[in-house]
Amino acid sequence: MKRRNFILQTSTVLAGSAILPATAETLLNPAKKKRIAIVGLGVRATGMWGKSVLEKYGNEVEFVGLCDINEGRLRLMKSGMGVSCPTFTDFDKMMRDTKPEILMVMSVDNTHHEFIIKGMEMGADIITEKPLTTDETKCQAILEAEKRTGKNVRVTFNYRYSPHRVKIYELLRSNAIGKITSVDFHWYLDTNHGAEYFRRWHRLREKGGSLLVHKASHHFDLLNWWIDSDPEEVFAYGALEFYGKNNSFRHTHCRTCPHTKQCDFFWDITKSPAMMKLYVENEKYDGYLRDGCVWKEDIDIFDKMAVQIKYANKVQVSYSLTAYSPYEGYRISFNGTKGKLDAWIKERQPWEEEGFDEIQLTSNFGKREIFKISNTEGGHGGGDERMKQHIFLPNQTDPHRQAAGLRDGALAILTGIAARNSIDSGKPIKIADLTSIRPQVKKA
Ligand SMILES: NC(=O)c1ccc[n+]([C@@H]2O[C@H](COP(=O)([O-])OP(=O)(O)OC[C@H]3O[C@@H](n4cnc5c(N)ncnc54)[C@H](O)[C@@H]3O)[C@@H](O)[C@H]2O)c1
């Protein structure tokens, strides 16, 4: 029986009963639904957390307030979600008036800390998009606020939920390669998706903390989760050698650019009705140009990065991120005392997809095994939908430790922040010198 039918049928049967299972009680008494407010109503909130949450989890949750500094996007989101809740451009007023139990933070990265801290102080638990925040000072302030208020923070690391990555987790935990000793992890963003970071607010270190924080926090979280230990020391190199100032021509944004014929990165936003509605029609409120030029001279993030990480359990990691590859995906190798686990994931490529991703497990002096995992699901390899279920359905268990709390969110960004500090200073950076978090050999 499908779960939704089960709830409907049991709720009818149980209507006269004194003891109700949580979901049935919720269904009969809408006031029991979790009351959620959202701050930041851009493409992530619209695509991942808005209407689709209500459609699937409307028995469990309701939206009580929406907030964005852009009043056009605010109106668009409200009508798109089909909700009747109030909207606000003033965050404090939303918190005071609506008193949500959960605040979802989906705004630009460098504003997360402000809403996470105030949200907890004003009585809400927090679900925040990654990255938790963009620097160590803000991170420490969030750690202190969680302690002070007794509220909690969950970080939405959807990458932990894709079946392929779960299979890697299971193999590593089952000791398939013995003790992990080192990891080679190389991530390639292509000239389509990779370039997107250089068009948008992400191009500024001040807004997104650089790709070492904005993007690689996903990857560092996967490493922490797979390795089951905390990063201890980081050394890195990084440079901007492709985008930004590295071209002979540039403009403010693609729509009005005189160089469209000679530019491989010309992107015609007017061909996308959804992007026009979400961003271009709302430029008048904040001046934000969604189709910004990838050659802008204000770009101050790196487009190639190489990071060495030493973990508290002695695992050594070599990680790299390149943002202008012809195809998108990653290659990872776990080296262990009994063998080696290899995976090569194609997230987007110009030639035909195979419909599955492989994991190759090779024993020292022994056999080789290949696992084929279907990759046909959308939404970050099926991770988005599985994570939403885990967050919104009651009575969820967590056998793979996929629910990421504040410490996980903090450690994922701290590797990137340490890498950034290391590139700036030319020195190795200790994670323990950044915040009050002390790296542990094994996760609790
Ligand atoms: N987990 C994932 O896979 C994933 C994917 C995409 C984005 N994200 C995260 O989601 C968040 C939003 O990203 P996006 O792609 O939707 O960006 P976006 O630019 O489309 O939207 C950001 C929104 O925040 C609003 N905003 C900015 N400053 C604000 C403030 N001070 N108060 C209220 N609203 C403010 C903007 O007006 C905009 O509507 C980011 O933190 C990003 O890292 C996560």
Side-chain angles (χ1 to χ4, degrees):
M1 190 189 296
K2 289 242 167 62
R3 189 178 174 280
R4 185 178 294 267
N5 293 342
F6 171 79
I7 293 172
L8 287 172
Q9 288 172 23
T10 47
S11 65
T12 317
V13 172
L14 290 165
S17 144
I19 303 164
L20 298 176
T23 38
E25 190 183 9
T26 301
L27 196 70
L28 295 171
N29 181 1
K32 290 284 178 192
K33 291 181 184 180
K34 284 278 180 204
R35 306 175 69 257
I36 301 182
I38 306 185
V39 59
L41 302 170
V43 70
R44 188 66 177 158
T46 321
M48 167 85 175
W49 297 107
K51 199 173 175 192
S52 69
V53 169
L54 281 183
E55 280 169 359
K56 281 214 165 161
Y57 309 102
N59 290 335
E60 270 77 31
V61 302
E62 65 178 326
F63 289 109
V64 297
L66 304 175
C67 173
D68 198 290
I69 40 169
N70 187 308
E71 56 185 88
R73 265 197 290 282
L74 199 47
R75 272 195 298 275
L76 184 71
M77 182 73 166
K78 179 169 172 164
S79 65
M81 283 172 75
V83 289
S84 56
C85 70
T87 58
F88 302 82
T89 48
D90 179 337
F91 175 77
D92 289 21
K93 183 162 167 46
M94 174 176 81
M95 293 302 292
R96 277 197 309 272
D97 288 4
T98 67
K99 299 189 175 43
E101 292 168 274
I102 298 173
L103 171 70
M104 301 193 70
V105 179
M106 323 262 131
S107 52
V108 170
D109 301 350
N110 68 338
T111 64
H112 286 184
H113 69 295
E114 187 186 328
F115 303 126
I116 293 171
I117 294 171
K118 265 195 206 163
M120 287 194 285
E121 286 174 347
M122 295 173 95
D125 287 319
I126 308 294
I127 296 176
T128 181
E129 266 297 352
K130 52 50 62 178
L132 176 68
T133 183
T134 48
D135 70 37
E136 59 273 49
T137 312
K138 292 170 178 177
C139 182
Q140 183 61 33
I142 296 172
L143 292 169
E144 285 166 18
E146 194 192 49
K147 218 179 206 175
R148 188 168 67 241
T149 59
K151 293 291 165 187
N152 66 71
V153 177
R154 180 163 178 168
V155 183
T156 54
F157 281 126
N158 45 341
Y159 281 31
R160 290 187 183 193
Y161 286 83
S162 85
H164 187 266
R165 300 190 185 115
V166 169
K167 183 69 187 172
I168 293 178
Y169 180 90
E170 286 173 348
L171 289 168
L172 294 172
R173 287 296 84 76
S174 72
N175 218 27
I177 60 165
K179 181 184 164 345
I180 308 169
T181 54
S182 66
V183 184
D184 316 314
F185 191 13
H186 303 289
W187 200 290
Y188 310 102
L189 297 167
D190 65 14
T191 46
N192 176 0
H193 183 222
E196 283 284 272
Y197 294 104
F198 295 81
R199 293 184 205 288
R200 300 179 285 166
W201 51 261
H202 312 63
R203 74 182 189 281
L204 302 173
R205 188 196 265 232
E206 189 243 325
K207 298 265 188 194
S210 84
L211 291 179
L212 284 165
V213 174
H214 174 82
K215 184 68 189 170
S217 57
H218 269 311
H219 314 156
F220 297 141
D221 176 66
L222 285 176
L223 282 169
N224 299 348
W225 176 61
W226 277 325
I227 293 172
D228 195 27
S229 182
D230 293 338
E232 195 174 64
E233 190 171 295
V234 176
F235 182 80
Y237 292 111
L240 175 67
E241 283 188 344
F242 186 87
Y243 299 105
K245 59 185 180 326
N246 300 291
N247 197 42
S248 58
F249 59 81
R250 57 188 47 77
H251 193 62
T252 49
H253 57 303
C254 287
R255 257 167 300 153
T256 57
C257 181
H259 310 289
T260 55
K261 292 221 163 51
Q262 61 187 127
C263 186
D264 290 335
F265 290 87
F266 168 59
W267 174 54
D268 189 356
I269 193 171
T270 64
K271 297 239 162 71
S272 165
M275 292 279 121
M276 290 296 285
K277 268 190 140 181
L278 192 58
Y279 298 106
V280 177
E281 287 175 20
N282 298 314
E283 268 170 20
K284 54 181 173 281
Y285 300 108
D286 58 12
Y288 176 55
L289 299 171
R290 173 62 182 77
D291 58 341
C293 178
V294 300
W295 309 120
K296 265 190 181 164
E297 280 177 312
D298 67 354
I299 293 174
D300 63 355
I301 59 171
F302 314 111
D303 54 23
K304 69 168 189 184
M305 291 139 271
V307 184
Q308 296 294 315
I309 312 162
K310 192 177 88 185
Y311 273 75
N313 68 354
K314 308 276 185 259
V315 170
Q316 295 174 185
V317 174
S318 295
Y319 167 88
S320 75
L321 177 60
T322 307
Y324 43 86
S325 297
Y327 49 82
E328 179 140 328
Y330 59 94
R331 189 181 286 279
I332 191 158
S333 241
F334 293 86
N335 306 297
T337 50
K338 291 187 185 159
K340 185 170 170 66
L341 186 156
D342 296 291
W344 168 230
I345 310 297
K346 296 134 291 186
E347 290 199 331
R348 218 176 358 266
Q349 60 183 23
W351 51 91
E352 207 184 324
E353 300 287 342
E354 280 135 346
F356 58 84
D357 287 312
E358 290 181 343
I359 298 171
Q360 177 177 288
L361 186 63
T362 321
S363 308
N364 286 349
F365 319 109
K367 60 179 179 148
R368 186 181 73 148
E369 241 181 306
I370 308 264
F371 302 87
K372 290 185 195 294
I373 318 284
S374 163
N375 65 7
T376 52
E377 284 180 79
H380 296 100
D384 284 352
E385 207 43 61
R386 284 175 176 78
M387 181 176 68
K388 277 195 270 193
Q389 269 186 36
H390 206 207
I391 290 177
F392 294 123
L393 292 183
N395 309 320
Q396 296 291 296
T397 57
D398 193 16
H400 295 106
R401 296 184 167 204
Q402 286 156 301
L406 179 57
R407 193 172 190 280
D408 295 328
L411 281 163
I413 57 166
L414 288 176
T415 303
I417 291 167
R420 215 175 56 200
N421 293 355
S422 172
I423 294 167
D424 290 347
S425 66
K427 300 203 167 90
I429 304 292
K430 288 200 188 313
I431 296 293
D433 290 343
L434 298 175
T435 65
S436 54
I437 291 181
R438 296 292 164 262
Q440 290 178 2
V441 173
K442 189 166 168 48
K443 294 210 163 287

